[in-house]
Amino acid sequence: QVQLVESGGGLVQAGGSLRLSCTASGRTFSRYQMGWFRQAPGKEREFVAGIHWSAVDTYYADSVKGRFTVSRDNAKNTVYLQMNSLKPDDTAVYYCAANTRVVFIPFLDDYRGQGTQVTVSS
């Protein structure tokens, strides 16, 4: 089992930036594939970004490609989501997720955090 705790959400104006962090419990963080989902009211949940346990491979949804960057620091048991050029459509609850599966994409959220709200004002 792994527990995930997100932080870094908040209110930002369109065009601004935020960095989300997700810290995981446990001593085997380097073995987990990590990802970020988001869900806005009335919309389907969307897989936003993922990073392979090796940190070599990353994945981005088309909606955030070129604006968001996912990274990880295994020494700190933490994965980050740097979000730049934010748009009102990025407003959602962002969830950190993890798994230890062989397949990277599609990303399965075997473990999920409680979420952090990101609100982008126009």
Side-chain angles (χ1 to χ4, degrees), residues 2-6 21-25 28-37 47-55 57-59 70-74 77-80 95-100 104-105 107-109 111-113:
V2 62
Q3 292 186 329
L4 306 172
V5 179
E6 303 98 333
S21 301
C22 171
T23 300
S25 64
T28 59
F29 178 76
S30 61
R31 299 179 186 177
Y32 285 89
Q33 302 188 114
M34 304 298 298
W36 291 92
F37 288 82
F47 179 55
V48 174
I51 184 164
H52 192 262
W53 60 265
S54 68
D57 290 334
T58 56
Y59 171 89
V70 62
S71 62
R72 66 190 297 157
D73 185 338
N74 288 344
N77 279 18
T78 300
V79 62
Y80 303 98
Y95 298 92
C96 177
N99 70 63
T100 56
F104 178 38
I105 300 298
F107 192 95
L108 298 177
D109 56 337
Y111 305 99
R112 194 173 77 169

